[in-house]
Amino acid sequence: MPDGLLLLSPSCDISHALPETPSSYIPRPNAKTDYLTDTPEPRALLQRTFLGFSHPCVDTAEHERLMQIAHSEYVSPCSPRVLQEWSHSVIPEGFDLCTPEDASDASSRTLNPEDSPYRPSHKFGKLFENFPRTLLVVGDAERLVKEVKCLEEAMLRDNVDLRAHWVEDAVHDILIIADGWWDKKAVKKAWEVIGEWTTDFKRN
């Protein structure tokens, strides 16, 4: 286990790009403020390729294995299935339901823990039990804001030593944005927060 986790706009729900049916796809928020695209089919192709699956899946068995892995704790710790399995909220504080499907997503697709190839193999009692101290840096106008908020709430509930720095009006991973394209004060502040957080390791 590492001494700490520095998470910069982390993508923590790959399963979002792989809905059971096209009609159940729920667009991520902040389409008009972030540069990340959320076009369903290209995102699905990207995630299938990342997980080592053909596009499209060759048969039903392969599709079921893809969905099982995509909704696992190790790949998508903030998928609705995983969050509900571990008794965490699938709708973070301050967010409304996007569609009727959103309300029933987790309950209608919950995996039996015995079906997971991951959960039976570990001894943790909580989803993020014994995770190291963590710093989250995320923009409040980026497309991953909902799943990262779920991550923050779940980690806090599981007693992770967590610090979250939400950058006002910021897009995805502002630290990679070229000079002149973003508020230098906001970027400087984010680096200062990271510096303070890393300095604490020397004190402890």
Side-chain angles (χ1 to χ4, degrees):
M1 186 72 75
D3 290 332
L5 295 175
L6 173 58
L7 305 179
L8 306 176
S9 297
S11 175
C12 40
D13 183 14
I14 282 179
S15 72
H16 180 271
L18 302 168
E20 294 287 354
T21 61
S23 62
S24 66
Y25 185 80
I26 303 168
R28 285 187 167 103
N30 298 327
K32 296 182 179 180
T33 56
D34 197 10
Y35 61 84
L36 287 183
T37 60
D38 198 42
T39 308
E41 194 59 25
R43 297 290 297 180
L45 173 60
L46 175 66
Q47 305 302 2
R48 284 194 184 98
T49 303
F50 169 70
L51 295 175
F53 286 82
S54 60
H55 181 75
C57 291
V58 295
D59 54 37
T60 301
E62 184 183 40
H63 175 75
E64 290 178 353
R65 192 165 68 90
L66 166 64
M67 297 307 293
Q68 190 177 56
I69 293 174
H71 284 280
S72 74
E73 293 89 341
Y74 291 95
V75 175
S76 296
C78 289
S79 88
R81 291 184 183 183
V82 171
L83 290 172
Q84 190 181 55
E85 280 182 20
W86 291 89
S87 301
H88 288 296
S89 173
V90 299
I91 305 297
E93 182 179 352
F95 284 81
D96 296 323
L97 300 178
C98 297
T99 68
E101 290 83 358
D102 200 10
S104 60
D105 181 77
S107 60
S108 64
R109 306 181 200 172
T110 299
L111 287 174
N112 186 321
E114 296 180 357
D115 294 336
S116 172
Y118 300 99
R119 189 171 184 182
S121 67
H122 66 64
K123 301 178 181 178
F124 297 124
K126 299 177 181 178
L127 179 58
F128 296 106
E129 185 174 357
N130 295 329
F131 264 54
R133 60 195 306 182
T134 301
L135 173 62
L136 271 173
V137 179
V138 59
D140 67 6
E142 66 170 278
R143 303 214 71 168
L144 303 184
V145 63
K146 184 177 179 181
E147 63 196 70
V148 175
K149 187 63 178 176
C150 282
L151 176 68
E152 178 186 17
E153 292 181 1
M155 282 187 148
L156 289 173
R157 184 176 178 184
D158 288 350
N159 300 314
V160 177
D161 181 2
L162 173 69
R163 179 176 180 182
H165 178 63
W166 289 83
V167 185
E168 185 177 4
D169 298 330
V171 296
H172 179 72
D173 198 357
I174 63 165
L175 299 184
I176 67 171
I177 304 299
D179 290 343
W181 287 88
W182 204 255
D183 182 358
K184 287 187 176 181
K185 292 182 179 179
V187 175
K188 180 180 178 182
K189 177 61 178 177
W191 280 118
E192 288 175 351
V193 170
I194 294 171
E196 293 169 1
W197 182 76
T198 53
T199 300
D200 285 340
F201 282 96
K202 298 178 182 179
R203 298 171 183 164
N204 297 316

PDB file of all heavy atoms in Angstrom, residues 82-102:
ATOM      1  N   VAL A  82     -21.326  -0.924  -7.616  1.00  0.00           N
ATOM      2  CA  VAL A  82     -20.327  -1.089  -6.553  1.00  0.00           C
ATOM      3  C   VAL A  82     -20.701  -0.261  -5.331  1.00  0.00           C
ATOM      4  O   VAL A  82     -20.647  -0.742  -4.190  1.00  0.00           O
ATOM      5  CB  VAL A  82     -18.928  -0.687  -7.066  1.00  0.00           C
ATOM      6  CG1 VAL A  82     -17.925  -0.654  -5.916  1.00  0.00           C
ATOM      7  CG2 VAL A  82     -18.466  -1.655  -8.144  1.00  0.00           C
ATOM      8  N   LEU A  83     -21.089   0.979  -5.557  1.00  0.00           N
ATOM      9  CA  LEU A  83     -21.449   1.840  -4.431  1.00  0.00           C
ATOM     10  C   LEU A  83     -22.593   1.242  -3.622  1.00  0.00           C
ATOM     11  O   LEU A  83     -22.565   1.248  -2.389  1.00  0.00           O
ATOM     12  CB  LEU A  83     -21.825   3.235  -4.931  1.00  0.00           C
ATOM     13  CG  LEU A  83     -20.678   4.077  -5.479  1.00  0.00           C
ATOM     14  CD1 LEU A  83     -21.211   5.353  -6.117  1.00  0.00           C
ATOM     15  CD2 LEU A  83     -19.672   4.428  -4.373  1.00  0.00           C
ATOM     16  N   GLN A  84     -23.601   0.731  -4.321  1.00  0.00           N
ATOM     17  CA  GLN A  84     -24.731   0.174  -3.585  1.00  0.00           C
ATOM     18  C   GLN A  84     -24.353  -1.121  -2.875  1.00  0.00           C
ATOM     19  O   GLN A  84     -24.796  -1.359  -1.748  1.00  0.00           O
ATOM     20  CB  GLN A  84     -25.915  -0.072  -4.518  1.00  0.00           C
ATOM     21  CG  GLN A  84     -27.185  -0.426  -3.736  1.00  0.00           C
ATOM     22  CD  GLN A  84     -28.362  -0.688  -4.626  1.00  0.00           C
ATOM     23  OE1 GLN A  84     -28.271  -1.522  -5.509  1.00  0.00           O
ATOM     24  NE2 GLN A  84     -29.463  -0.002  -4.390  1.00  0.00           N
ATOM     25  N   GLU A  85     -23.526  -1.939  -3.496  1.00  0.00           N
ATOM     26  CA  GLU A  85     -23.082  -3.166  -2.841  1.00  0.00           C
ATOM     27  C   GLU A  85     -22.410  -2.874  -1.504  1.00  0.00           C
ATOM     28  O   GLU A  85     -22.546  -3.626  -0.541  1.00  0.00           O
ATOM     29  CB  GLU A  85     -22.100  -3.919  -3.739  1.00  0.00           C
ATOM     30  CG  GLU A  85     -22.744  -4.726  -4.836  1.00  0.00           C
ATOM     31  CD  GLU A  85     -21.707  -5.481  -5.651  1.00  0.00           C
ATOM     32  OE1 GLU A  85     -20.582  -5.681  -5.143  1.00  0.00           O
ATOM     33  OE2 GLU A  85     -22.012  -5.862  -6.786  1.00  0.00           O
ATOM     34  N   TRP A  86     -21.685  -1.753  -1.461  1.00  0.00           N
ATOM     35  CA  TRP A  86     -20.941  -1.397  -0.258  1.00  0.00           C
ATOM     36  C   TRP A  86     -21.687  -0.356   0.583  1.00  0.00           C
ATOM     37  O   TRP A  86     -21.112   0.304   1.438  1.00  0.00           O
ATOM     38  CB  TRP A  86     -19.561  -0.882  -0.641  1.00  0.00           C
ATOM     39  CG  TRP A  86     -18.683  -1.947  -1.203  1.00  0.00           C
ATOM     40  CD1 TRP A  86     -18.560  -2.330  -2.509  1.00  0.00           C
ATOM     41  CD2 TRP A  86     -17.805  -2.802  -0.469  1.00  0.00           C
ATOM     42  NE1 TRP A  86     -17.665  -3.351  -2.638  1.00  0.00           N
ATOM     43  CE2 TRP A  86     -17.175  -3.666  -1.402  1.00  0.00           C
ATOM     44  CE3 TRP A  86     -17.467  -2.919   0.884  1.00  0.00           C
ATOM     45  CZ2 TRP A  86     -16.246  -4.632  -1.018  1.00  0.00           C
ATOM     46  CZ3 TRP A  86     -16.546  -3.877   1.260  1.00  0.00           C
ATOM     47  CH2 TRP A  86     -15.946  -4.724   0.316  1.00  0.00           C
ATOM     48  N   SER A  87     -22.985  -0.182   0.309  1.00  0.00           N
ATOM     49  CA  SER A  87     -23.869   0.685   1.112  1.00  0.00           C
ATOM     50  C   SER A  87     -23.477   2.151   1.060  1.00  0.00           C
ATOM     51  O   SER A  87     -23.596   2.880   2.050  1.00  0.00           O
ATOM     52  CB  SER A  87     -23.908   0.203   2.572  1.00  0.00           C
ATOM     53  OG  SER A  87     -24.364  -1.132   2.646  1.00  0.00           O
ATOM     54  N   HIS A  88     -23.009   2.596  -0.118  1.00  0.00           N
ATOM     55  CA  HIS A  88     -22.721   4.014  -0.323  1.00  0.00           C
ATOM     56  C   HIS A  88     -23.789   4.625  -1.224  1.00  0.00           C
ATOM     57  O   HIS A  88     -24.444   3.924  -2.006  1.00  0.00           O
ATOM     58  CB  HIS A  88     -21.342   4.212  -0.959  1.00  0.00           C
ATOM     59  CG  HIS A  88     -20.206   3.924  -0.032  1.00  0.00           C
ATOM     60  ND1 HIS A  88     -19.978   4.659   1.107  1.00  0.00           N
ATOM     61  CD2 HIS A  88     -19.243   2.970  -0.073  1.00  0.00           C
ATOM     62  CE1 HIS A  88     -18.911   4.187   1.723  1.00  0.00           C
ATOM     63  NE2 HIS A  88     -18.447   3.160   1.033  1.00  0.00           N
ATOM     64  N   SER A  89     -23.935   5.947  -1.146  1.00  0.00           N
ATOM     65  CA  SER A  89     -24.925   6.645  -1.960  1.00  0.00           C
ATOM     66  C   SER A  89     -24.489   6.690  -3.420  1.00  0.00           C
ATOM     67  O   SER A  89     -23.309   6.898  -3.726  1.00  0.00           O
ATOM     68  CB  SER A  89     -25.118   8.073  -1.444  1.00  0.00           C
ATOM     69  OG  SER A  89     -25.957   8.817  -2.309  1.00  0.00           O
ATOM     70  N   VAL A  90     -25.462   6.507  -4.329  1.00  0.00           N
ATOM     71  CA  VAL A  90     -25.166   6.612  -5.757  1.00  0.00           C
ATOM     72  C   VAL A  90     -25.492   8.004  -6.291  1.00  0.00           C
ATOM     73  O   VAL A  90     -25.147   8.337  -7.423  1.00  0.00           O
ATOM     74  CB  VAL A  90     -25.943   5.556  -6.574  1.00  0.00           C
ATOM     75  CG1 VAL A  90     -25.557   4.154  -6.134  1.00  0.00           C
ATOM     76  CG2 VAL A  90     -27.439   5.748  -6.454  1.00  0.00           C
ATOM     77  N   ILE A  91     -26.164   8.801  -5.487  1.00  0.00           N
ATOM     78  CA  ILE A  91     -26.472  10.188  -5.848  1.00  0.00           C
ATOM     79  C   ILE A  91     -25.817  11.090  -4.809  1.00  0.00           C
ATOM     80  O   ILE A  91     -26.292  11.210  -3.683  1.00  0.00           O
ATOM     81  CB  ILE A  91     -27.988  10.457  -5.879  1.00  0.00           C
ATOM     82  CG1 ILE A  91     -28.695   9.466  -6.802  1.00  0.00           C
ATOM     83  CG2 ILE A  91     -28.263  11.894  -6.333  1.00  0.00           C
ATOM     84  CD1 ILE A  91     -28.289   9.556  -8.250  1.00  0.00           C
ATOM     85  N   PRO A  92     -24.683  11.723  -5.127  1.00  0.00           N
ATOM     86  CA  PRO A  92     -23.972  12.524  -4.133  1.00  0.00           C
ATOM     87  C   PRO A  92     -24.755  13.758  -3.704  1.00  0.00           C
ATOM     88  O   PRO A  92     -25.662  14.214  -4.401  1.00  0.00           O
ATOM     89  CB  PRO A  92     -22.679  12.911  -4.856  1.00  0.00           C
ATOM     90  CG  PRO A  92     -23.022  12.860  -6.301  1.00  0.00           C
ATOM     91  CD  PRO A  92     -24.033  11.751  -6.436  1.00  0.00           C
ATOM     92  N   GLU A  93     -24.391  14.265  -2.563  1.00  0.00           N
ATOM     93  CA  GLU A  93     -25.053  15.452  -2.017  1.00  0.00           C
ATOM     94  C   GLU A  93     -24.943  16.621  -2.995  1.00  0.00           C
ATOM     95  O   GLU A  93     -23.891  16.891  -3.561  1.00  0.00           O
ATOM     96  CB  GLU A  93     -24.403  15.839  -0.687  1.00  0.00           C
ATOM     97  CG  GLU A  93     -25.047  17.024   0.002  1.00  0.00           C
ATOM     98  CD  GLU A  93     -24.393  17.350   1.326  1.00  0.00           C
ATOM     99  OE1 GLU A  93     -23.543  16.563   1.787  1.00  0.00           O
ATOM    100  OE2 GLU A  93     -24.735  18.402   1.898  1.00  0.00           O
ATOM    101  N   GLY A  94     -26.067  17.300  -3.214  1.00  0.00           N
ATOM    102  CA  GLY A  94     -26.078  18.455  -4.099  1.00  0.00           C
ATOM    103  C   GLY A  94     -26.418  18.134  -5.535  1.00  0.00           C
ATOM    104  O   GLY A  94     -26.500  19.034  -6.375  1.00  0.00           O
ATOM    105  N   PHE A  95     -26.637  16.850  -5.838  1.00  0.00           N
ATOM    106  CA  PHE A  95     -26.977  16.445  -7.200  1.00  0.00           C
ATOM    107  C   PHE A  95     -28.403  15.932  -7.248  1.00  0.00           C
ATOM    108  O   PHE A  95     -28.874  15.265  -6.333  1.00  0.00           O
ATOM    109  CB  PHE A  95     -26.029  15.349  -7.700  1.00  0.00           C
ATOM    110  CG  PHE A  95     -24.672  15.850  -8.078  1.00  0.00           C
ATOM    111  CD1 PHE A  95     -23.719  16.067  -7.093  1.00  0.00           C
ATOM    112  CD2 PHE A  95     -24.349  16.125  -9.387  1.00  0.00           C
ATOM    113  CE1 PHE A  95     -22.455  16.535  -7.420  1.00  0.00           C
ATOM    114  CE2 PHE A  95     -23.092  16.592  -9.730  1.00  0.00           C
ATOM    115  CZ  PHE A  95     -22.149  16.807  -8.739  1.00  0.00           C
ATOM    116  N   ASP A  96     -29.084  16.236  -8.348  1.00  0.00           N
ATOM    117  CA  ASP A  96     -30.431  15.732  -8.564  1.00  0.00           C
ATOM    118  C   ASP A  96     -30.365  14.528  -9.484  1.00  0.00           C
ATOM    119  O   ASP A  96     -29.383  14.308 -10.199  1.00  0.00           O
ATOM    120  CB  ASP A  96     -31.328  16.801  -9.206  1.00  0.00           C
ATOM    121  CG  ASP A  96     -31.511  18.004  -8.284  1.00  0.00           C
ATOM    122  OD1 ASP A  96     -31.598  17.791  -7.061  1.00  0.00           O
ATOM    123  OD2 ASP A  96     -31.556  19.133  -8.806  1.00  0.00           O
ATOM    124  N   LEU A  97     -31.431  13.752  -9.504  1.00  0.00           N
ATOM    125  CA  LEU A  97     -31.528  12.656 -10.450  1.00  0.00           C
ATOM    126  C   LEU A  97     -31.621  13.222 -11.859  1.00  0.00           C
ATOM    127  O   LEU A  97     -32.367  14.162 -12.106  1.00  0.00           O
ATOM    128  CB  LEU A  97     -32.770  11.804 -10.152  1.00  0.00           C
ATOM    129  CG  LEU A  97     -32.812  11.156  -8.764  1.00  0.00           C
ATOM    130  CD1 LEU A  97     -34.111  10.385  -8.597  1.00  0.00           C
ATOM    131  CD2 LEU A  97     -31.635  10.213  -8.572  1.00  0.00           C
ATOM    132  N   CYS A  98     -30.881  12.645 -12.780  1.00  0.00           N
ATOM    133  CA  CYS A  98     -30.899  13.146 -14.164  1.00  0.00           C
ATOM    134  C   CYS A  98     -32.110  12.642 -14.928  1.00  0.00           C
ATOM    135  O   CYS A  98     -32.731  13.381 -15.683  1.00  0.00           O
ATOM    136  CB  CYS A  98     -29.620  12.700 -14.884  1.00  0.00           C
ATOM    137  SG  CYS A  98     -28.115  13.382 -14.164  1.00  0.00           S
ATOM    138  N   THR A  99     -32.443  11.384 -14.750  1.00  0.00           N
ATOM    139  CA  THR A  99     -33.550  10.774 -15.474  1.00  0.00           C
ATOM    140  C   THR A  99     -34.202   9.746 -14.567  1.00  0.00           C
ATOM    141  O   THR A  99     -33.631   9.340 -13.559  1.00  0.00           O
ATOM    142  CB  THR A  99     -33.051  10.051 -16.746  1.00  0.00           C
ATOM    143  OG1 THR A  99     -32.273   8.923 -16.340  1.00  0.00           O
ATOM    144  CG2 THR A  99     -32.244  10.971 -17.629  1.00  0.00           C
ATOM    145  N   PRO A 100     -35.389   9.272 -14.929  1.00  0.00           N
ATOM    146  CA  PRO A 100     -35.992   8.185 -14.147  1.00  0.00           C
ATOM    147  C   PRO A 100     -35.099   6.954 -14.091  1.00  0.00           C
ATOM    148  O   PRO A 100     -35.069   6.245 -13.099  1.00  0.00           O
ATOM    149  CB  PRO A 100     -37.293   7.890 -14.911  1.00  0.00           C
ATOM    150  CG  PRO A 100     -37.624   9.178 -15.590  1.00  0.00           C
ATOM    151  CD  PRO A 100     -36.294   9.777 -15.976  1.00  0.00           C
ATOM    152  N   GLU A 101     -34.334   6.698 -15.182  1.00  0.00           N
ATOM    153  CA  GLU A 101     -33.456   5.545 -15.182  1.00  0.00           C
ATOM    154  C   GLU A 101     -32.362   5.690 -14.141  1.00  0.00           C
ATOM    155  O   GLU A 101     -31.896   4.711 -13.562  1.00  0.00           O
ATOM    156  CB  GLU A 101     -32.814   5.362 -16.572  1.00  0.00           C
ATOM    157  CG  GLU A 101     -33.780   4.910 -17.657  1.00  0.00           C
ATOM    158  CD  GLU A 101     -34.550   6.067 -18.263  1.00  0.00           C
ATOM    159  OE1 GLU A 101     -34.363   7.205 -17.805  1.00  0.00           O
ATOM    160  OE2 GLU A 101     -35.339   5.827 -19.188  1.00  0.00           O
ATOM    161  N   ASP A 102     -31.940   6.922 -13.888  1.00  0.00           N
ATOM    162  CA  ASP A 102     -30.892   7.162 -12.919  1.00  0.00           C
ATOM    163  C   ASP A 102     -31.323   6.709 -11.534  1.00  0.00           C
ATOM    164  O   ASP A 102     -30.535   6.180 -10.757  1.00  0.00           O
ATOM    165  CB  ASP A 102     -30.550   8.664 -12.890  1.00  0.00           C
ATOM    166  CG  ASP A 102     -29.189   8.945 -12.291  1.00  0.00           C
ATOM    167  OD1 ASP A 102     -28.436   7.979 -12.079  1.00  0.00           O
ATOM    168  OD2 ASP A 102     -28.900  10.120 -12.056  1.00  0.00           O
TER     169      ASP A 102
END
